[in-house]
Amino acid sequence: MKIFYAHSATTPPKQVSREVKLLKKVISERGTDNPRIRSGRDDHQNNWKGDWDAWQYSVVHRTDLTTQKRVYDVFMVTGTHCGRATANILRLALSLDRPVFWWDGEDPGIIRKVKEIEEDDCEDWTTGWRITCWNAAKPKQLPLPFPEDSRP
């Protein structure tokens, strides 16, 4: 299984490396033999040719020249928000019914299927999009009506 690991562009390289190793361990322990994980940074350094839109498209659509199989089988992301490039990659993958998962970054961790990527602030290119998962805990709603003693 080949996994694209989406992370913030501001995440330090050593941290990305640690996360990739930990994710490989987590995925292996869940029964996948020898998962191959490539960070967004590594893919960007090897495949970016000066056009952000073209690179984002290629992450999802790129195929192996020999086998003609897609380069990535699965897309993984961490955090509650992501930047523009990650949002575009994950939205495109979701639109093509490609598997996109959120991981909490822990061992053994929680992995959930991503439902959608929602825009919060398109002017914030580093954290302007919210990652929404299926079966994520819903926020508690305050009981209505409010108790009498809570009024001023």
Side-chain angles (χ1 to χ4, degrees):
M1 176 186 298
K2 294 171 276 179
I3 300 169
F4 178 83
Y5 175 55
H7 57 84
S8 171
T10 61
T11 305
K14 287 182 180 182
Q15 182 179 338
V16 171
S17 181
R18 280 192 307 271
E19 290 172 355
V20 165
K21 287 176 187 171
L22 183 57
L23 180 57
K24 182 173 183 166
K25 178 181 182 278
V26 167
I27 298 293
S28 295
E29 288 173 351
R30 290 174 183 246
T32 300
D33 291 333
N34 196 28
R36 295 187 324 190
I37 301 169
R38 178 171 240 181
S39 70
R41 179 171 287 126
D42 284 349
D43 189 280
H44 180 266
Q45 288 173 346
N46 290 305
N47 297 292
W48 191 70
K49 307 223 182 325
D51 182 337
W52 279 102
D53 293 331
W55 174 69
Q56 294 161 29
Y57 181 89
S58 78
V59 169
V60 178
H61 288 282
R62 192 177 322 126
T63 57
D64 182 278
L65 293 174
T66 306
T67 65
Q68 292 303 304
K69 291 182 180 180
R70 293 192 191 257
V71 171
Y72 298 113
D73 301 309
V74 174
F75 300 83
M76 298 287 292
V77 64
T78 58
T80 58
H81 287 76
C82 63
R84 180 179 178 265
T86 299
N88 288 341
I89 290 166
L90 300 180
R91 279 179 166 171
L92 181 57
L94 287 167
S95 74
L96 297 171
D97 293 324
R98 306 282 305 280
V100 179
F101 293 95
W102 171 86
W103 169 53
D104 70 354
E106 300 293 324
D107 180 17
I110 297 168
I111 295 176
R112 292 194 171 116
K113 189 166 177 54
V114 172
K115 179 180 181 181
E116 62 187 338
I117 307 299
E118 298 176 281
E119 184 179 299
D120 278 345
D121 179 4
C122 66
E123 296 299 318
D124 180 354
W125 283 28
T126 58
T127 61
W129 287 261
R130 186 174 355 104
I131 301 162
T132 305
C133 299
W134 290 100
N135 57 347
K138 293 184 175 142
K140 279 191 153 187
Q141 182 175 348
L142 292 173
L144 297 176
F146 294 108
E148 291 291 326
D149 59 301
S150 68
R151 293 186 186 161

